[in-house]
Amino acid sequence: MQHASHIISFVRLTLGLGAAFALAVPVPRAAAQETQPEGEEVTVPSAPAADLPEAGEILSRAVKAMGGPDVFESITSSYIKSTLTARGMSLQFEMYTADPDKLFVRQTMPGMGSGDMGINGDVAWQKPPGGQYQLVDAKRFVDLSEQAHLFEIVPRLREQYALMRTVDRVEFGGADCYKVRLEGKRNATPEEKLAETYALFDVDTHLAAGLQNIQPARGEMPERASTLRFEDWRPVDGLELKLYHKLVIQETGAEVTMTYDEVAFNGVKPSVFAIPEEVKELVATKPAETEPEQGDEVVSAQTRKLLENLLRKDDPGQLRMFVNILEGQLSSMSENEQAEMEYVIEKLRERIEELEADPDTDG
């Protein structure tokens, strides 16, 4: 599971690209596969600030308060139906996972219908609303299958960081909390190595209260602070598990809320992840990889395919709405994400000009 910055990036890109392309859950391109190096032990040094419990003890209490490690080990499949709201937009998701490598997501956006995305082993596909099935690079979705396990953010912190230390006792979200610095992230990107990451735990309930990530200023990019709050803790039917049912993400003045409408574990049928016949045909006839066109090297193959679908639209008003959505996300994106979105915006504007120059075009 990714830490705070990746979760926030995951949600931000979902709202930006998801709205524009009507497809579920794009993955941050900068994300690296989160696997612990073989033979390398995770250490949680006993180095707390004065009169504060050590970080390892705080995290153990938090996992126990959720139900304990055995509960998480017993989970082999999950279903979470959620609603994402931000900037006046609302997206509904149904997300299914199954060990070891299966994922199916259905996104519904009011007025645009639903889009699907699936991963089954080394085959990954997507289907925009009203569109055709497309193959996508499964390697790009390795992190997505990890991110889908949002219920395991807290217990997987030990796997993600080599060092944790308690640094303070502060008020967070109206609660008295221990503040734990997370350092030595596994397989960190250069951007992550510069960041400061903290986990906050409620002193009274022992449950995780939130995560904080601070990206230092770089070039023209100002310092960025992101906060993820865990709220609405409730028991889950069928398991001795207590889980947050609401995630509140705040970044650069914007707020995104993910609310779990339904949660269920260990009951997902294998048929949910069946590879569609259309996708099987695409796999069988998949052509050799071609070099990207000049200028397209700034965007991923996934985004190029999504952009191709979007450029087929003939409503300039709708395209302008997409441009406004993406422009509203630019200030909170990383440099790589900005470059990709600026390219997409440029192509959308060219399409708008083309449509408006055609007297037979509505809008």
Side-chain angles (χ1 to χ4, degrees):
M1 166 48 64
Q2 310 297 340
H3 65 68
S5 64
H6 276 173
I7 297 165
I8 291 162
S9 184
F10 154 80
V11 172
R12 184 177 64 239
L13 289 176
T14 296
L15 288 167
L17 284 176
F21 301 126
L23 182 74
V25 199
V27 182
R29 271 74 58 194
Q33 184 175 354
E34 291 299 302
T35 54
Q36 183 176 334
E38 185 176 354
E40 186 174 354
E41 294 184 358
V42 175
T43 58
V44 185
S46 179
D51 300 324
L52 296 175
E54 69 175 271
E57 179 183 351
I58 292 173
L59 182 56
S60 294
R61 289 176 182 172
V63 175
K64 183 178 180 181
M66 293 180 71
D70 290 345
V71 172
F72 291 99
E73 288 293 329
S74 70
I75 296 173
T76 58
S77 68
S78 69
Y79 167 71
I80 296 179
K81 181 179 181 180
S82 61
T83 301
L84 262 169
T85 56
R87 298 180 183 271
M89 294 170 50
S90 178
L91 303 175
Q92 284 75 48
F93 290 91
E94 290 185 274
M95 184 177 293
Y96 303 80
T97 71
D99 291 341
D101 53 10
K102 293 180 175 61
L103 172 72
F104 181 77
V105 181
R106 173 159 290 164
Q107 171 194 317
T108 303
M109 187 174 182
M112 297 187 67
S114 62
D116 297 344
M117 195 204 71
I119 304 173
N120 190 327
D122 58 358
V123 178
W125 68 92
Q126 61 192 19
K127 183 179 183 295
Q132 303 297 316
Y133 283 102
Q134 302 168 353
L135 292 178
V136 293
D137 186 353
K139 293 180 181 179
R140 291 185 179 274
F141 289 95
V142 170
D143 293 286
L144 178 54
S145 61
E146 287 286 299
Q147 289 168 334
H149 294 79
L150 292 173
F151 55 90
E152 290 188 290
I153 295 173
V154 177
R156 290 196 178 187
L157 287 176
R158 284 184 186 272
E159 300 174 12
Q160 302 301 312
Y161 296 91
L163 186 145
M164 301 181 184
R165 55 190 177 94
T166 315
V167 295
D168 207 349
R169 183 168 174 169
V170 299
E171 181 180 342
F172 179 81
D176 184 16
C177 295
Y178 292 123
K179 187 173 185 178
V180 174
R181 176 78 181 264
L182 307 176
E183 301 175 274
K185 187 177 184 297
R186 305 301 184 187
N187 305 315
T189 64
E191 185 176 77
E192 290 168 334
K193 289 179 180 178
L194 297 173
E196 294 181 21
T197 303
Y198 301 91
L200 296 111
F201 300 89
D202 191 302
V203 172
D204 296 323
T205 66
H206 306 307
L207 293 167
L211 296 170
Q212 293 179 328
N213 182 269
I214 301 173
Q215 292 284 346
R218 290 192 303 157
E220 296 182 357
M221 290 286 291
E223 179 181 280
R224 291 181 295 154
S226 306
T227 301
L228 173 68
R229 298 200 310 270
F230 304 108
E231 298 183 356
D232 191 14
W233 288 86
R234 282 185 269 150
V236 175
D237 292 340
L239 283 178
E240 294 295 323
L241 173 66
K242 194 171 187 179
L243 182 66
Y244 38 84
H245 283 62
K246 186 176 182 180
L247 296 172
V248 180
I249 302 99
Q250 291 180 315
E251 183 180 31
T252 59
E255 183 171 291
V256 178
T257 301
M258 176 183 284
T259 303
Y260 295 170
D261 304 310
E262 295 180 36
V263 178
F265 295 102
N266 298 335
V268 180
K269 296 180 179 179
S271 58
V272 170
F273 310 102
I275 301 174
E277 291 300 322
E278 296 91 335
V279 174
K280 292 179 181 178
E281 293 178 7
L282 291 174
V283 172
T285 59
K286 182 180 178 181
E289 295 291 333
T290 58
E291 292 295 322
E293 297 180 10
Q294 186 176 4
D296 282 2
E297 63 273 6
V298 299
V299 300
S300 67
Q302 174 200 3
T303 301
R304 288 200 303 274
K305 291 179 180 178
L306 294 170
L307 180 57
E308 288 173 5
N309 286 331
L310 192 59
L311 292 177
R312 295 191 184 102
K313 294 184 178 296
D314 56 8
D315 183 347
Q318 189 178 48
L319 292 178
R320 277 194 293 269
M321 179 188 72
F322 295 152
V323 168
N324 291 336
I325 291 171
L326 293 178
E327 287 181 330
Q329 301 291 323
L330 282 175
S331 63
S332 59
M333 291 182 177
S334 68
E335 292 178 2
N336 289 339
E337 293 167 352
Q338 281 187 346
E340 180 157 351
M341 286 303 97
E342 286 171 353
Y343 177 79
V344 170
I345 290 169
E346 177 186 354
K347 293 300 181 183
L348 292 179
R349 284 176 174 161
E350 290 176 1
R351 176 59 175 161
I352 292 171
E353 291 179 2
E354 176 186 335
L355 291 170
E356 291 180 336
D358 184 350
D360 294 329
T361 302
D362 294 333

